[in-house]
């Protein structure tokens, strides 16, 4: 096959990687490293070659917990299996024809070993070595692991080719869009592209890699951005001074162990307020929020992003939101710090005497008191009363007495 066609096919394979989500890209990067090791050892790489990636490897290289690593591997492997891309081949008649090919033709996983397996297709294998050499040999996978956005991973790949160049690169907007793997309909507005793609990527690369002082300089024709020049002071991953994606510089800890910032649940009003505030910061490309831009598909509206964030908060999926909430000044109250299971058991465990609840358990709701409250015209549910008491750090009795019904003990 002519070298020009080989290069063209390799480029199509690379473009297919650009369009992958960030965890898929990371899995492909690990797989290509395994493939490169096969070549160095002189071992064959065929459609029957099993490429095995373990959760331990993924966790160690990309800096994530092992359980999360296996979940990411499984999901990414399944998505890659479903992906296809267009390429050309030379038919028996010598004519170049278009075909659609998959990346892998078989997949597997072993939960007992926390590993996944992939078998690459015959049409991909001839070009993978070239892809490895031209695209992936320069990459520091530990740096890739600190990037949470697919556009950040791709821009990092681009910039690594220029890290030792005598001048710093600039790209026309359309060329940059293609290099980052954007479809024509994604982030069509210049402001969206600048904030949610370029701005987010630059922010993560500055915080998580050896690029020092990276900035995207927009080049304009009048008021329109026509190109971007990427400037950086230096690249040094030997004495790297990383600004961590979380302020304490460590892997984000589970919410119940994250110092005093304990978060088990949020009220409806808190969810409404902070989902909007967080979404606004994501759209604006604020530091500390950019990793949440992947919560919705490219091109989604701000309302869709708010809804996705609110859903996470409602489902108590707080791990990715601890740092953004801290930045926004959120301070957990007792209701936020109380595990859902504990609150529910407290709701049912009231005493049966007429005395106010014991100070050691001010959030217990006395059933007899609640019935007296209802007879006085009270409208709040048991859960609402307990939640308000916890939120305001008072007793359930005080909540009922302050609800416009007067003293519930008064006749």
């Amino acid at each position: 096959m002519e070298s020009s066609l080989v290069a063209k096919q390799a480029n199509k394979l690379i473009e297919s990687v650009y369009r992958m989500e960030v965890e898929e890209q990371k899995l492909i990067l690990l797989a290509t490293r395994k493939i490169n090791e096969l070549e160095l050892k002189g071992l064959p790489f065929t459609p029957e070659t099993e490429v095995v990636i373990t959760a331990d490897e993924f966790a160690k290289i990309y800096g994530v917990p092992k359980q999360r690593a296996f979940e990411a591997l499984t999901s990414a492997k399944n998505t890659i299996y479903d992906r296809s891309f267009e390429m050309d081949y030379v038919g028996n008649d010598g004519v170049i024809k278009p075909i659609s090919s998959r990346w892998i033709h078989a997949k597997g996983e072993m939960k007992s070993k926390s590993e996944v397996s992939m078998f690459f297709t015959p049409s991909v294998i001839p070009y993978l070595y070239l892809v490895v050499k031209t695209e992936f040999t320069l990459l520091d996978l530990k740096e890739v692991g600190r990037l949470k956005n697919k556009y950040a991973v791709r821009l990092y790949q681009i910039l690594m080719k220029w890290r030792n160049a005598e001048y710093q690169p600039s790209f026309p907007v359309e060329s940059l869009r293609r290099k980052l793997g954007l479809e024509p309909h994604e982030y069509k507005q210049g402001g969206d592209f600048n904030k949610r793609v370029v701005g987010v990527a630059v922010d993560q690369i500055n915080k998580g890699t050896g690029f020092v002082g990276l900035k995207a300089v927009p080049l304009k024709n009048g008021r329109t951005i026509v190109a971007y020049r990427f400037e950086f002071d230096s690249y040094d991953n030997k004495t790297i001074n990383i600004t961590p994606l979380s302020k304490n510089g460590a892997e984000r800890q589970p919410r119940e162990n994250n110092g005093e910032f304990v978060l088990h649940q949020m009220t409806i009003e808190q969810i409404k307020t902070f989902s909007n505030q967080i979404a606004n910061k994501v759209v604006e490309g604020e530091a500390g929020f950019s990793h949440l831009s992947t919560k919705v598909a490219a091109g989604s509206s701000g309302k869709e992003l708010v809804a996705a964030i609110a859903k996470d908060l409602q489902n108590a999926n707080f791990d990715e939101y601890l740092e953004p909430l801290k930045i926004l000044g959120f301070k957990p109250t007792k209701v936020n710090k109380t595990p859902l299971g504990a609150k529910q058991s407290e709701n049912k465990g009231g005493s049966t005497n007429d005395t106010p609840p014991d100070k050691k358990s001010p959030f217990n709701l006395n059933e007899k008191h609640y019935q007296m409250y209802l007879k006085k015209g009270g409208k709040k549910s048991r859960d609402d009363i307990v939640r308000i008491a916890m939120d305001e750090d008072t007793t359930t009795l005080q909540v009922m007495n302050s609800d416009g019904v007067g003293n519930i003990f008064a006749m």
Side-chain angles (χ1 to χ4, degrees):
M1 190 179 295
E2 295 182 5
S3 59
S4 60
L5 182 58
V6 172
K8 181 180 178 182
Q9 301 304 77
N11 284 336
K12 289 187 176 182
L13 205 62
I14 292 167
E15 290 171 2
S16 176
V17 176
Y18 299 168
R19 297 187 181 94
M20 291 181 177
E21 296 301 323
V22 64
E23 301 299 353
E24 296 172 72
Q25 291 186 19
K26 290 178 179 179
L27 177 53
I28 288 292
L29 288 175
L30 264 181
T32 54
R33 190 174 79 163
K34 293 289 186 76
I35 294 166
N36 192 48
E37 291 172 355
L38 290 175
E39 183 185 33
L40 293 174
K41 294 176 182 178
L43 299 175
F45 176 46
T46 71
E48 287 72 45
T49 301
E50 180 186 23
V51 179
V52 179
I53 309 293
T54 69
D56 280 334
E57 292 173 305
F58 195 95
K60 182 178 180 180
I61 289 175
Y62 293 132
V64 297
K66 184 177 176 181
Q67 179 57 37
R68 188 182 302 173
F70 184 62
E71 292 171 357
L73 280 175
T74 302
S75 176
K77 172 259 300 176
N78 290 337
T79 309
I80 292 171
Y81 180 76
D82 292 332
R83 282 191 180 275
S84 63
F85 63 98
E86 302 299 319
M87 62 186 304
D88 299 326
Y89 81 106
V90 180
N92 294 332
D93 55 3
V95 176
I96 297 177
K97 304 174 182 179
I99 61 169
S100 181
S101 174
R102 293 188 181 276
W103 273 84
I104 58 177
H105 67 86
K107 59 177 181 172
E109 65 184 71
M110 285 192 67
K111 292 183 179 179
S112 61
K113 293 186 177 181
S114 296
E115 66 180 33
V116 301
S117 301
M118 299 189 297
F119 298 81
F120 286 85
T121 60
S123 54
V124 165
I125 286 174
Y127 311 108
L128 271 177
Y129 283 129
L130 182 58
V131 170
V132 170
K133 290 179 179 178
T134 59
E135 290 293 306
F136 301 144
T137 53
L138 294 176
L139 301 185
D140 184 326
L141 294 188
K142 288 189 178 296
E143 290 192 348
V144 172
R146 301 183 190 110
L147 305 176
K148 311 302 180 185
N149 176 282
K150 64 180 179 180
Y151 304 124
V153 173
R154 179 55 196 142
L155 182 59
Y156 169 77
Q157 292 172 336
I158 294 170
L159 294 176
M160 285 296 280
K161 295 181 179 181
W162 294 83
R163 59 182 178 174
N164 296 319
E166 294 182 0
Y167 62 95
Q168 295 178 337
S170 61
F171 305 98
V173 169
E174 286 306 314
S175 172
L176 182 60
R177 286 177 59 88
R178 288 194 300 272
K179 289 178 180 294
L180 295 179
L182 272 80
E183 299 288 351
H185 66 277
E186 295 178 317
Y187 300 111
K188 292 189 295 184
Q189 298 298 320
D192 285 345
F193 177 70
N194 187 49
K195 288 181 179 180
R196 299 189 68 180
V197 178
V198 177
V200 168
V202 168
D203 177 56
Q204 290 195 10
I205 292 170
N206 265 324
K207 290 180 176 180
T209 76
F211 284 97
V212 178
L214 176 65
K215 58 183 178 180
V217 180
L219 307 178
K220 296 184 177 182
N221 182 359
R223 298 179 63 183
T224 304
I225 298 175
V226 295
Y228 285 89
R229 181 173 66 250
F230 293 93
E231 300 178 354
F232 52 93
D233 298 332
S234 62
Y235 174 82
D236 182 8
N237 68 344
K238 302 298 182 185
T239 57
I240 186 170
N241 181 23
I242 298 170
T243 302
L245 294 178
S246 57
K247 286 185 178 178
N248 60 13
E251 176 67 24
R252 190 177 284 120
Q253 297 299 311
R255 53 184 177 270
E256 60 268 29
N257 295 325
N258 196 34
E260 294 300 316
F261 199 86
V262 178
L263 185 57
H264 288 286
Q265 58 177 307
M266 294 179 71
T267 66
I268 294 174
E269 283 304 313
Q270 288 172 337
I271 291 170
K272 182 178 179 180
T273 298
F274 285 97
S275 60
N276 276 281
Q277 290 186 15
I278 292 171
N280 288 337
K281 294 295 185 183
V282 172
V283 172
E284 292 168 3
E286 290 281 344
F289 295 83
S290 56
H291 63 286
L292 299 172
S293 63
T294 56
K295 289 294 175 181
V296 292
S300 299
S301 67
K303 288 184 178 179
E304 290 174 309
L305 179 59
V306 171
I309 293 171
K311 183 177 180 181
D312 275 348
L313 299 181
Q314 288 168 356
N315 293 331
N317 296 326
F318 296 126
D319 287 349
E320 293 179 282
Y321 297 94
L322 298 184
E323 210 57 46
L325 287 169
K326 284 183 184 179
I327 294 171
L328 291 171
F330 177 82
K331 295 182 179 180
T333 63
K334 286 190 176 181
V335 67
N336 303 130
K337 296 179 180 181
T338 302
L340 287 168
K343 177 180 79 67
Q344 291 165 357
S345 63
E346 288 169 354
N347 287 352
K348 300 175 182 178
S351 63
T352 58
N353 56 40
D354 292 322
T355 59
D358 188 275
K359 289 184 178 180
K360 293 182 180 179
S361 55
F363 306 132
N364 283 346
L365 179 57
N366 184 301
E367 182 61 25
K368 187 173 181 179
H369 294 169
Y370 182 63
Q371 294 302 323
M372 295 169 67
Y373 162 77
L374 293 179
K375 288 180 180 179
K376 296 277 286 187
K379 302 295 184 182
K380 288 184 171 60
S381 69
R382 294 175 178 83
D383 285 346
D384 284 342
I385 291 170
V386 172
R387 186 178 293 276
I388 292 170
M390 297 172 76
D391 209 10
E392 297 180 357
D393 195 15
T394 187
T395 65
T396 55
L397 183 60
Q398 182 62 38
V399 173
M400 290 187 287
N401 282 336
S402 302
D403 193 32
V405 299
N407 188 337
I408 64 173
F409 295 111
M411 298 302 291

